[in-house]
Amino acid sequence: MDNQDILQRIQTLVQEEHDLREQPQDAGAGAEQQDHAARLKRVEEDLDQCWDLLRQRRAKADAGENPADADARPVNQVEGYRQ
């Protein structure tokens, strides 16, 4: 996967995130609402992982290293970063 592939994945995830946020949520939907919230959370986590991987690849390239050596970090690590 190269930087362009990662950017395309990010664009796809951003569109899905927008679509999910635009869908009206019925408070009485129960399981549907939980599924929606779980999917939105997963999309947000995937986005964070993609952005982190892209930053790693760019940093390695800037340092003269091989960007292909960058690996996606686990969600719990990426989500634990301070903004």
Side-chain angles (χ1 to χ4, degrees):
M1 182 178 281
D2 64 14
N3 289 1
Q4 191 60 37
D5 293 333
I6 296 168
L7 286 168
Q8 287 175 331
R9 176 77 176 136
I10 288 170
Q11 287 177 333
T12 300
L13 288 166
V14 166
Q15 184 59 53
E16 184 175 358
E17 179 184 33
H18 286 270
D19 292 345
L20 287 167
R21 290 186 186 281
E22 289 176 3
Q23 290 177 359
Q25 290 301 298
D26 181 10
E32 249 183 66
Q33 188 175 12
Q34 288 177 350
D35 290 345
H36 182 272
R39 181 62 195 148
L40 181 58
K41 183 178 189 299
R42 183 64 191 154
V43 167
E44 291 170 342
E45 292 170 345
D46 287 352
L47 267 170
D48 290 344
Q49 281 184 300
C50 285
W51 280 116
D52 178 67
L53 179 58
L54 186 61
R55 283 190 295 270
Q56 285 184 66
R57 290 179 56 84
R58 287 176 174 169
K60 284 189 176 294
D62 288 347
E65 298 177 24
N66 184 355
D69 291 342
D71 291 316
R73 294 182 176 134
V75 169
N76 61 349
Q77 183 178 0
V78 173
E79 292 298 307
Y81 294 151
R82 292 182 179 225
Q83 298 292 326

